[in-house]
Amino acid sequence: MIHIVICDDEKYMSDQIRTMASDFFRRKNMETTILQFSCGEELLKYDKQIDILFLDIQMKDIDGMETARKLRERKFRGFLIFITVLKEMVFQSFEVQAYDYLVKPIEEKHFEKTMERLYISMQNAREASLLVQKGYESHIISLEDIVFCEIIDRKIYLHLSSSEIIDYYDRIENLETKLDGRFFRCHRSYLINLKYLKSYKNGVAYMEGGREIPVSRLRSREFSVVILQYMKNI
């Protein structure tokens, strides 16, 4: 499921983008949810997942650029596409890691070109991400953002760098096969991201954020070797 949000104070423009985005992903056989907001204030109150955001730059009160800054400060990591009538405004978009921009009136040919590039970027991003299915919801989580994984009573808890914790049912053995070489299973109940390891002493891995993770005696020697190898490769 791709979560799309459109924020534009011109309803006809918002509806046009909704139609084009829906048609594009339908052709890719991908399901979407699309929400529409008419101002930055409304958007900033929304706290659910956003994978793709179409954001108008010129809006009353708080404009699109300021809205984007606030979202990035809140760790918004989705793809951001600006909608604008002024190409000159686009130079500021680098500040908020905008993926692309579309100039009004939006030409379908330009929209399709942008979305094809975006689709490829999303596919590449998934290769370094974890898809978590929780009930009817799905989350795409960057491996870069996972500090450590913990299992308690058949439930996995992903502790993220944002301090958010995402939980779902799975076996840690299944999770381990989906992670890459930056992760190490230091204990039967823990997988840690070596990027966030601050130090290791006396069977305890000290992680950024202050969390202390136990390292089992059976894995301690291998852990020391893995740490050295990881440090050589970074």
Side-chain angles (χ1 to χ4, degrees):
M1 181 72 73
I2 307 297
H3 302 272
I4 300 172
V5 167
I6 304 163
C7 186
D8 195 307
D9 57 5
E10 296 177 300
K11 189 175 186 305
Y12 79 92
M13 180 59 62
S14 182
D15 289 343
Q16 179 189 359
I17 296 170
R18 181 188 184 107
T19 298
M20 291 192 294
S22 179
D23 289 345
F24 176 84
F25 283 109
R26 188 180 298 115
R27 292 195 298 272
K28 299 293 185 184
N29 295 315
M30 299 182 74
E31 294 185 19
T32 59
T33 61
I34 303 178
L35 291 177
Q36 295 167 269
F37 297 100
S38 60
C39 65
E41 289 86 350
E42 287 182 6
L43 175 58
L44 290 170
K45 292 176 183 177
Y46 182 71
D47 61 356
K48 300 291 194 307
Q49 180 179 343
I50 304 175
D51 298 315
I52 303 172
L53 172 61
F54 293 94
L55 181 59
D56 185 19
I57 292 182
Q58 291 83 27
M59 293 188 294
K60 296 178 181 179
D61 299 323
I62 178 171
D63 66 16
M65 198 64 69
E66 183 61 26
T67 301
R69 289 192 187 99
K70 291 181 181 296
L71 287 171
R72 290 302 191 196
E73 287 171 5
R74 298 178 188 180
K75 307 300 181 185
F76 164 62
R77 296 184 180 277
F79 291 96
L80 171 61
I81 297 175
F82 276 126
I83 313 298
T84 180
V85 293
L86 300 172
K87 290 184 179 180
E88 297 77 31
M89 296 290 294
V90 172
F91 294 107
Q92 298 179 40
S93 66
F94 294 108
E95 300 174 23
V96 289
Q97 300 91 50
Y99 183 80
D100 204 347
Y101 67 96
L102 296 169
V103 178
K104 298 180 181 181
I106 298 174
E107 296 181 6
E108 190 167 347
K109 182 179 179 181
H110 189 185
F111 183 88
E112 290 289 318
K113 185 177 179 180
T114 294
M115 294 307 293
E116 286 292 349
R117 286 179 50 244
L118 177 59
Y119 179 72
I120 292 172
S121 296
M122 291 178 69
Q123 296 299 103
N124 292 337
R126 278 200 177 94
E127 293 178 7
S129 301
L130 181 67
L131 178 63
V132 171
Q133 195 72 37
K134 184 178 180 182
Y136 293 104
E137 294 184 6
S138 58
H139 301 269
I140 300 173
I141 302 164
S142 172
L143 299 187
E144 187 81 4
D145 295 335
I146 301 174
V147 179
F148 69 94
C149 317
E150 179 181 20
I151 186 162
I152 304 173
D153 296 332
R154 298 189 305 110
K155 208 171 195 179
I156 288 176
Y157 295 81
L158 303 178
H159 296 255
L160 307 184
S161 57
S162 63
S163 299
E164 181 183 4
I165 301 174
I166 294 177
D167 62 276
Y168 66 105
Y169 287 100
D170 198 0
R171 297 173 65 238
I172 198 167
E173 290 79 9
N174 291 338
L175 172 61
E176 194 172 9
T177 64
K178 300 173 185 176
L179 303 177
D180 58 24
R182 79 191 90 177
F183 289 87
F184 181 78
R185 188 172 178 183
C186 61
H187 186 279
R188 65 182 180 181
S189 300
Y190 293 94
L191 278 157
I192 67 170
N193 187 338
L194 297 173
K195 173 189 172 183
Y196 294 98
L197 177 68
K198 292 184 66 178
S199 63
Y200 169 55
K201 184 179 179 181
N202 298 330
V204 177
Y206 296 88
M207 309 296 292
E208 287 186 17
R211 187 63 186 262
E212 300 177 8
I213 307 295
V215 179
S216 68
R217 283 185 297 173
L218 292 174
R219 300 173 191 267
S220 60
R221 179 173 293 183
E222 183 185 358
F223 187 41
S224 298
V225 173
V226 167
I227 293 172
L228 291 173
Q229 189 61 47
Y230 177 77
M231 292 177 66
K232 287 179 183 178
N233 293 334
I234 60 176

